[in-house]
Amino acid sequence: MKEPKEFRGLLALAKLTARRQFWTKKTLLAIALIVVACLSAVRWRALKDPNSVRQQLRNSRTPEWLRQNWPDRLITVALAAALRVPSPVEYVRVNYKPNPTLYFAEENAMRLFVGFFLPILCLLYAAAALGEEYEERTFVYVLARPLTLWKVYLAKGLGIAPLLAVATVGGSGLLCLSAGSAGREAWPLFWPAVAAGALAYGSLFLMIGALAPKPMVVGVGYAFFFEFIAGNLPGTIKRASISFHCRCMMYDAGSHLGFQPLSARQFMPISGELALIVLVTMSVMLLGFGAWRFHRREYRDLT
Amino acid sequence: MTAPAIPDAMERTTAPALVIRDLSKWYGPVIGLNQVNLTIERGIVGVVGPNGAGKSTLLKLVTGQLRPSIGRVRVFGRSVRSLEARRDVGYCPDVDAFYEEMTGREFVRAMLRLSGFAFDEAVARADRAIAAVGMNDTAVSQRAGKRLRGCSKGMRQRIKLAQAIAHEPRLLVLDEPLSGLDPVGRREFADLITGQAASGTAVLMSSHVLTELRALADRVVLISEGRLLADQRLETFDRTIDGRPVKVVVESPDVRRIAGLLAESPLVSAVEFDELEVTFSTANPRALCEELGKIVRERGCRIERLDVPEQWAEALFDRADGA
């Protein structure tokens, strides 16, 4: 008979977590979100891809700067006018991205996937890994096993890691495939930022799931108020957001193609390497802090 | 170094199953448990007390889920927070929660895997535990293969017990194991617990119903407001309450007739009644209940409710509080 081993128990916990998290309605929701992202990429390919037949027909009838940006940049033009940028038309012309790869990378990959789908996909699995066990009151069985609590926390993180990787990196791959040649070219710029972002979001939402009473609500609140609003504000506050660092990684990876923020003065980007270091450090610190707090916490209200 | 292994092994085999010393637990300003001392060598020890008395707090401290504010808990000579001690403890919680999508067998197997057993070993042990709780016989062969969300309360209780005993712990901690079971289920479950104790496992079980523990426990620990009021063998408790009058309440449309028929009985020391119910004071409630049954059969009286309040518990609490 093989003696029971803690390490074996932790691996079993990670496997059990992955299995239980996968076979839930959350996976259907994650698939639905990825399908929506892919459909938006297909729509972009049909309507906005500068290489599409529709765009080429339009190009032959409209002025150069307007036909590439219509109707997307009208808001930018209006904003530029409101902010008293000397010449809105010139402003848009300077920032116009004639390369369809960059157009896709900014419009779909960055704004849509990194800005919206990535935190939501991470939240679905990471916040539920421990939060669901509390809510269903099944955590009492894990507590009664001969497992060290901080290792339980890390095992839970390990359990959701493959799900997060498939949902985020795999989902972004499907998004790029759906966008045709522009998407395929954007993929190298895109996936490292998604992977690093998924690691950071996963660590954050795992901690929220372990320590906050209503992890989904807290997680959605964080994603909306901090990542979406504060992450897009001018100034340095956005540097505390995960999405900012993901965007910096993307801009850096595409810099040789001329990929850059609309206004570098307002966006204040950092280098891709630094952004990666920040995201990895943030992830390690969040995992460490979460494991420490989780280990010291008492679970009084489970029974 | 092999030298320390010998005393350690000796301590494991000779140390009491559970030693609790000066154990206190505070939840902020609220005292959950206050200076409790308890030693369990073997057999079944019942923890009884009203709701909120501190029974669950004690059991959670014993299973290492909570940390003591003061005092210590040792299982077979080791701190209960150590992994070695927790391997020796099997815990059956009172909460009716499971991984509902699993079958009973899968659940027990998963718990064994979490305890660190290899797959083959977990499969074999799970099968043994399922058989031990009576879910493997031919009449109910599909039970352990049924999804837990579709299982009855009795089956779920059995699975909970199976996961607690599957790793063959030497100390079994059961939190309200009989609650929610029908009388037949209670009897079967009680037999399972007695069987575990007979095989040498020390059992600590809680209940707020003393009559449940009467049939099972060798010793009863009485807890109220976080304090341990009494720790005695059952016979001692029985002597304490012998001869105390017990109130039997009968609700019936024939209140006056029943009161009249039994008023002169030597079993009854006092009678009170109103339009809906009659209350008899008696030192022998069992004989009185038999007498009531006879009246129903022979005189055609109807009884809508028969209630024998748990005077046994009250007597114990009165005595312990007065001590």
Side-chain angles (χ1 to χ4, degrees):
Chain A
M1 187 192 93
K2 287 180 188 168
E3 283 297 308
K5 291 212 164 37
E6 188 188 18
F7 182 68
R8 207 185 281 141
L10 292 165
L11 281 184
L13 180 63
K15 200 172 148 191
L16 180 70
T17 303
R19 189 180 124 188
R20 293 201 72 231
Q21 289 297 312
F22 179 74
W23 292 109
T24 54
K25 287 176 187 164
K26 284 193 295 288
T27 300
L28 287 179
L29 185 56
I31 291 170
L33 286 172
I34 292 167
V35 167
V36 169
C38 291
L39 287 177
S40 79
V42 170
R43 182 177 171 273
W44 177 87
R45 186 178 169 183
L47 302 180
K48 298 180 183 174
D49 185 350
N51 294 332
S52 69
V53 176
R54 183 190 167 103
Q55 284 295 335
Q56 281 172 11
L57 278 173
R58 181 185 280 174
N59 290 351
S60 63
R61 294 196 295 267
T62 46
E64 170 65 20
W65 70 269
L66 187 60
R67 72 187 177 213
Q68 294 295 351
N69 295 288
W70 179 271
D72 313 60
R73 298 297 161 106
L74 280 186
I75 296 169
T76 314
V77 171
L79 272 175
L83 294 170
R84 300 185 184 187
V85 174
S87 164
V89 172
E90 182 66 11
Y91 183 82
V92 171
R93 192 187 64 75
V94 166
N95 288 289
Y96 152 62
K97 294 177 175 63
N99 185 331
T101 303
L102 302 185
Y103 191 9
F104 167 80
E106 176 149 347
E107 182 136 310
N108 282 273
M110 188 181 283
R111 285 193 202 153
L112 193 70
F113 200 87
V114 173
F116 177 72
F117 288 109
L118 180 62
I120 298 295
L121 288 170
C122 293
L123 178 67
L124 278 180
Y125 289 114
L130 279 158
E132 223 167 61
E133 292 250 27
Y134 298 155
E135 281 170 19
E136 292 172 0
R137 305 174 87 190
T138 49
F139 191 58
V140 68
Y141 293 107
V142 180
L143 278 180
R145 301 292 129 192
L147 299 170
T148 312
L149 273 181
W150 67 266
K151 292 179 188 170
V152 166
Y153 184 88
L154 296 183
K156 284 276 177 186
L158 185 66
I160 55 157
L163 296 177
L164 289 185
V166 170
T168 58
V169 182
S172 67
L174 288 175
L175 175 82
C176 289
L177 277 178
S178 311
S181 59
R184 283 194 295 277
E185 282 165 24
W187 171 244
L189 317 182
F190 187 26
W191 78 263
V194 171
L199 180 67
Y201 278 125
S203 309
L204 177 71
F205 292 136
L206 181 68
M207 188 188 74
I208 289 175
L211 306 179
K214 296 273 181 196
M216 282 292 173
V217 177
V218 175
V220 168
Y222 168 83
F224 181 74
F225 289 107
F226 198 78
E227 290 294 333
F228 185 71
I229 294 180
N232 285 298
L233 285 176
T236 52
I237 189 165
K238 64 173 161 298
R239 289 192 170 180
S241 74
I242 293 168
S243 63
F244 168 80
H245 296 91
C246 294
R247 282 181 283 166
C248 287
M249 281 181 72
M250 286 184 68
Y251 283 130
D252 195 63
S255 58
H256 64 285
L257 298 170
F259 192 35
Q260 58 184 3
L262 203 60
S263 164
R265 193 168 55 85
Q266 281 188 4
F267 186 72
M268 295 190 292
I270 58 174
S271 75
E273 290 82 8
L274 182 58
L276 179 64
I277 289 168
V278 168
L279 286 177
V280 171
T281 310
M282 189 189 287
S283 307
V284 171
M285 285 174 70
L286 287 169
L287 275 174
F289 178 76
W292 175 71
R293 281 294 301 144
F294 183 78
H295 186 77
R296 292 183 58 82
R297 217 179 140 190
E298 281 196 328
Y299 302 89
R300 297 171 182 172
D301 49 353
L302 288 171
T303 57
Chain B
M1 277 180 63
T2 52
I6 297 165
D8 189 47
M10 276 176 67
E11 188 183 20
R12 279 200 73 189
T13 48
T14 58
L18 179 68
V19 176
I20 295 174
R21 286 288 167 265
D22 302 323
L23 188 65
S24 297
K25 179 69 187 173
W26 297 294
Y27 299 113
V30 179
I31 296 177
L33 212 59
N34 192 6
Q35 290 285 307
V36 169
N37 287 288
L38 181 67
T39 302
I40 297 176
E41 300 276 355
R42 64 178 71 80
I44 303 176
V45 176
V47 180
V48 70
N51 291 332
K55 302 187 297 291
S56 285
T57 298
L58 176 66
L59 265 51
K60 284 178 190 175
L61 285 160
V62 166
T63 51
Q65 293 175 60
L66 294 180
R67 290 187 187 85
S69 303
I70 296 177
R72 62 192 166 93
V73 180
R74 295 186 83 79
V75 174
F76 294 104
R78 291 191 163 107
S79 164
V80 73
R81 304 283 299 177
S82 72
L83 298 185
E84 292 80 7
R86 280 157 67 189
R87 283 199 184 101
D88 275 331
V89 179
Y91 179 54
C92 177
D94 69 333
V95 61
D96 187 36
F98 291 94
Y99 298 143
E100 302 282 350
E101 74 282 3
M102 289 184 182
T103 65
R105 197 179 298 276
E106 283 170 348
F107 183 75
V108 177
R109 210 176 281 170
M111 292 302 112
L112 283 162
R113 296 283 286 138
L114 295 190
S115 293
F117 287 96
F119 182 78
D120 295 345
E121 182 71 17
V123 169
R125 280 174 180 264
D127 288 347
R128 283 205 295 274
I130 292 284
V133 298
M135 290 188 70
N136 214 24
D137 59 68
T138 48
V140 287
S141 59
Q142 295 306 308
R143 281 182 177 180
K146 195 172 171 183
R147 299 235 176 267
L148 282 161
R149 69 167 66 95
C151 286
S152 67
K153 173 82 181 174
M155 288 161 74
R156 290 162 74 90
Q157 287 288 87
R158 282 164 189 264
I159 292 296
K160 259 200 289 189
L161 184 63
Q163 64 80 30
I165 63 173
H167 58 290
E168 294 171 9
R170 295 192 295 160
L171 171 64
L172 196 54
V173 180
L174 312 171
D175 199 352
E176 307 267 0
L178 304 180
S179 67
L181 292 176
D182 58 33
V184 177
R186 275 170 194 247
R187 175 165 292 189
E188 288 176 355
F189 212 80
D191 289 344
L192 292 173
I193 296 168
T194 314
Q196 285 296 311
S199 67
T201 308
V203 180
L204 178 67
M205 65 177 282
S206 75
S207 177
H208 60 275
V209 184
L210 262 166
T211 43
E212 282 180 0
L213 292 179
R214 267 184 86 90
L216 279 170
D218 312 310
R219 222 171 102 197
V220 171
V221 171
L222 197 64
I223 290 186
S224 180
E225 293 175 356
R227 286 184 305 137
L228 195 149
L229 298 180
D231 175 5
Q232 292 177 345
R233 297 192 66 78
L234 270 172
E235 308 87 75
T236 318
F237 276 134
D238 284 341
R239 280 200 297 277
T240 305
I241 61 167
D242 271 353
R244 273 183 79 99
V246 171
K247 285 183 177 169
V248 175
V249 182
V250 179
E251 197 178 301
S252 164
D254 305 316
V255 162
R256 285 173 185 278
R257 208 168 145 215
I258 293 172
L261 286 166
L262 284 174
E264 299 301 320
S265 166
L267 292 169
V268 175
S269 55
V271 183
E272 293 168 36
F273 65 93
D274 56 27
E275 293 301 314
L276 298 172
E277 62 181 37
V278 55
T279 305
F280 299 104
S281 291
T282 177
N284 191 345
R286 184 182 291 269
L288 182 67
C289 289
E290 283 169 8
E291 195 66 26
L292 280 165
K294 210 165 145 188
I295 288 173
V296 169
R297 285 194 304 275
E298 294 173 4
R299 305 291 181 106
C301 291
R302 272 175 50 212
I303 290 179
E304 289 178 349
R305 184 173 68 91
L306 176 63
D307 191 12
V308 185
E310 208 165 24
Q311 309 291 314
W312 203 68
E314 282 177 19
L316 290 175
F317 281 111
D318 287 350
R319 184 184 172 282
D321 275 334

